[in-house]
Amino acid sequence: MHDAVCAALGLSGEQPVRGGCIHQCYRAALAGRPVFLKLNEARYADAFAAEADGLRALRRAGARAPEPIGHGVAGGEAYLLMEWLEIGSRGDFAALGTMLAATHRAHSDRYGWPRDNYIGSTLQENAPCAGWAEFWRRRRLEPQLALASRNGYRLEAPPVWRLLEGHKPAASLIHGDLWSGNAGFLADGAPVLFDPAVYYGDREADVAMTELFGGGYLVQVRATLRLLARVL
């Protein structure tokens, strides 16, 4: 099916590449410019629209992230077309932490985001709330408990959100899905962010997400963020 998509978009020389997790990914050329193409079933069109929105938000905040070129449905498949970047896993970790800290300085007066987005294929609700404890309960914990129930798991969860009562962090622009697979480095070591699920929230949520799957090399990023938190 990717042949039909590439024909519809005017792409050439497509080659499968790694990345994208649940999506199919290709390197291709658009008018001689190398581009990155993500594909999936048409039902993923909104997820790709949300990803493009998140990339634009990170870029507006000064982060290095791939430029979204276009998204939609073509050839019967959903697609997201982006700037091609040669990305590795090793580089300047302090610069990555500094870039994230700068992104976190973009603030809002409410927690949330103008649209919902996705963690993988799972919807992430972002309707704004005035308080962080309310947002975390209504938009993060309760949807996950409801999802577990729909899948046959009945969880009697204690009211853990009460731990956040009285906690009023700045509503910072955060990446939202900052595990080690969603950050990398260019050939010169400069940091890059991708695959975001942005919203305005407690910047510690980004730090906590770096612990997912062990976190590995992002330990240096956590150290930088926590150091900068003392002076920003």
Side-chain angles (χ1 to χ4, degrees):
M1 290 287 288
H2 73 276
D3 291 335
V5 177
C6 290
L9 298 178
L11 304 177
S12 62
E14 62 273 14
Q15 297 177 334
V17 294
R18 296 176 58 189
C21 293
I22 63 173
H23 308 298
Q24 296 80 52
C25 299
Y26 300 86
R27 173 175 176 154
L30 176 65
R33 174 189 181 185
V35 291
F36 184 72
L37 175 67
K38 296 176 77 168
L39 295 178
N40 213 317
E41 300 171 10
R43 62 190 176 92
Y44 284 90
D46 189 60
F48 286 153
E51 183 176 342
D53 174 66
L55 291 171
R56 287 190 290 267
L58 291 176
R59 289 168 62 86
R60 286 195 301 269
R64 185 70 168 96
E67 176 191 4
I69 298 170
H71 60 85
V73 177
E77 291 191 272
Y79 73 90
L80 173 60
L81 193 62
M82 294 176 282
E83 170 189 17
W84 173 268
L85 297 174
E86 292 285 351
I87 295 175
S89 61
R90 294 289 171 180
D92 189 338
F93 292 96
L96 176 54
T98 300
M99 184 174 73
L100 283 165
T103 302
H104 294 163
R105 287 199 292 270
H107 293 148
S108 174
D109 60 353
R110 294 176 70 83
Y111 303 95
W113 192 248
R115 61 158 297 149
D116 294 338
N117 45 39
Y118 297 81
I119 299 290
S121 60
T122 302
L123 183 70
Q124 176 170 267
E125 298 180 12
N126 289 320
C129 294
W132 177 240
E134 177 193 10
F135 180 84
W136 197 254
R137 174 175 62 84
R138 296 181 61 189
R139 308 295 181 234
R140 294 295 178 267
L141 296 179
E142 290 180 355
Q144 289 299 313
L145 292 173
L147 178 61
S149 178
R150 290 195 298 272
N151 284 282
Y153 299 96
R154 185 172 180 176
L155 302 177
E156 297 294 338
V160 294
W161 55 83
R162 290 181 180 170
L163 295 172
L164 297 175
E165 289 181 355
H167 180 50
K168 299 179 180 179
S172 300
L173 177 65
I174 63 176
H175 180 283
D177 192 14
L178 191 62
W179 68 286
S180 60
N182 288 345
F185 301 92
L186 302 177
D188 62 1
V192 180
L193 299 173
F194 39 90
D195 290 351
V198 300
Y199 62 98
Y200 288 109
D202 186 348
R203 60 186 179 179
E204 284 288 331
D206 259 355
V207 178
M209 184 65 80
T210 65
E211 302 279 356
L212 189 64
F213 309 128
Y217 67 84
L218 286 181
V219 63
Q220 298 176 64
V221 176
R222 292 194 292 275
T224 302
L225 284 169
R226 287 176 172 139
L227 174 63
L228 290 169
R230 301 191 190 111
V231 298
L232 296 179

